[in-house]
Amino acid sequence: MKRGKSKTVGYILAFFFGGLGAHLFYYGKYLRGILYLAFSWTGIPILLGWIDMFFIHKWHQQYLESQENSSKFLQEKPLQSITPRVEKTRPEKVESEKSVLSYRENEMMFYREEDIILPEYAYLKTPSYIKEEIQQIKKSFKHKDLNRPVIEISFHTHETYFMEDSIKYANQMGVETEFVPLQVYWTTFRDLDEKQKKWYFYWRHQTLKGNYLDTDLSYVILFAYELINYTFNQNAAFNVSMLVRLQQAYKERIPNLDRYLSEWIRDMLIELNEIELARKWGLGAEPYYQTNFYQIFKDHEKDISQIPIKEWQKVIRGYSETNFFEMNKQKVYITFKEALKLFQKINIEEGLDLEKAWFEQKKKTATYYLFKSAVIGRNVGSRVIEYTEYVPTEYFYNEITALFRVSENVTRLCNGVKRQIKANEELLPPNFKKRLLEEMKSNKVYEIDEYVGIKSRFSHVVTDKIEEKGSQIPPKPNETLETKTANNDSNKSWITELDGKQVEVLKQRHQAFISEFSSDEQDEDKSTEREIKAMSNVEKTKLDIPERPTITLSDDDVDVEGFLSSLTEEEIEFISTFSSKRRRIDVVNDEIREKGIPAAVFINEINTKADEYLDDVLIEQIGDDYVINEELVCVLEEIERSKAI
């Protein structure tokens, strides 16, 4: 009976005879042993032999594994009857070698390929050059399996070691064991200890049976490496299908995994020249790990409101989140979903094709470097691909942005906020905003006041029809009501209303002021006027407002004309430079410094005036930019209009 090697003998040989390479010959590393022997006269191999003592344990484990594989092979070989020795011809010898090389292929698989292969990929075939590469690697097992001592010179890398190990463990079944964590980049079998290997084989076995256990990213990546290298299975239909199943099973549980698997599935399909299938996995999308919006649109073509909000956010342009949006984000998103439903419904009624309006075809050529960020031990290189890409049009971006802005405006109205942000409603169907508000009301998405109307930031007003309620304010002694009204309210297009009790209270206070401050009638009048204005907010006349060229703000405490008149020429000129509503902070600061004014002081002065007249700041700081407040874009438009005149 042949005795095995001893680890103790290995250590002794390395310590005493390491300079001659004795320990290397002992473990079958003949080429390295010859080099040690050839340079033994320098004394360097002695030092190297002592260093090799740290690797004796690893080499001994590899020896034991090879012995175990050899014994398994001998046990599985059928017993042959003893026959007289017969001289064999050369062809018979070749046949014998082929049978030795292919014994692994003929082993019974511990899983069913047909249960894993998806119908969409069932017709895929493995290219012959990939099969040949795998066969070349399998030849290295011939000498190991037959236990023939040979000296061979070979060049190994991290990737080729992985290929050999993967082929060796391809038919390794798993037994139930406990989960062992694994966090390794570019995972290979040699990164795993024995417990991690046992868990991997058990997890892989369960996965092949359709039971996708919770595990670490590194284990899934290792199996993916086996599939894209064709070392676990040489069937392209199986490998692609298995990768797709892994992606679907773990994309929610392991978010980072989807980026890698989607890219590798795409690369496998490109390698197989399946360009149309590769498009579904990101071919033509830039960057590669982002999904093509055209494909998202096609997946939800019947109801675009089902497209996730996170995908819509990527295509909304030129929008800065307002304070209202931050406080009512979910309501705005709900309204936006309703807007998408209504928009699609109107387009269907009018016979319009959203796909043609939103996407255009472009012929593209791209060089794809396959299987980036993967351990790949076979020759893959790159591919130059010509394909048709469906690219969103500018009209698509502008229309979606307009839809989102209108959705926020409708949400504001539903919540009793009159102030509106700028929205290009001309891109949308006629009266879309009004129809959306009615849709929200009929579907009871929000509790909407029946008096809520469609008002923009500017509302048209008229002065020739005024409805009055309540009693009139008592005139001051020796002064008629008409004179008072003419002097104080000549420029107003509305008259305040007060009820009888309020007038009585006001009258008493007025008389008190007269008796206490009779020496200063002018100040007294101003004080009374302020009280009237404050009390007038309690109840106002609801008017039917027809169209009129004169424009005034619908917000009671906002005065654009007053704000513009309070600005200096320099401040107006500065605001007009925000034609795109956004400017970089460093550029703005440099411009203001050239005028000898601190930038912070200059902008703060403008915002102070805006807060006084417009009840909000005009210029906000968002990230690296100064941005015009979305709710006050009308100020910028008014300045541009006045400059044009």
Side-chain angles (χ1 to χ4, degrees), residues 509-563:
R509 293 181 181 177
H510 183 66
Q511 294 299 331
F513 281 135
I514 292 176
S515 61
E516 187 173 352
F517 302 104
S518 57
S519 59
D520 195 350
E521 238 180 51
Q522 188 175 1
D523 291 343
E524 165 197 318
D525 290 342
K526 290 181 180 178
S527 177
T528 305
E529 196 171 352
R530 282 195 296 270
E531 289 196 21
I532 294 172
K533 184 177 180 181
M535 296 176 67
S536 67
N537 290 326
V538 176
E539 181 183 354
K540 290 188 180 169
T541 306
K542 293 181 173 62
L543 303 176
D544 259 333
I545 305 177
E547 279 195 34
R548 181 180 171 183
T550 305
I551 295 178
T552 182
L553 286 169
S554 60
D555 296 353
D556 298 330
D557 298 328
V558 178
D559 181 6
V560 171
E561 293 181 3
F563 172 67

Side-chain angles (χ1 to χ4, degrees), residues 424-438:
N424 193 355
E425 297 182 30
E426 295 178 357
L427 295 174
L428 305 178
N431 298 319
F432 182 80
K433 187 176 180 181
K434 183 177 180 180
R435 290 184 63 176
L436 177 59
L437 187 62
E438 292 171 351

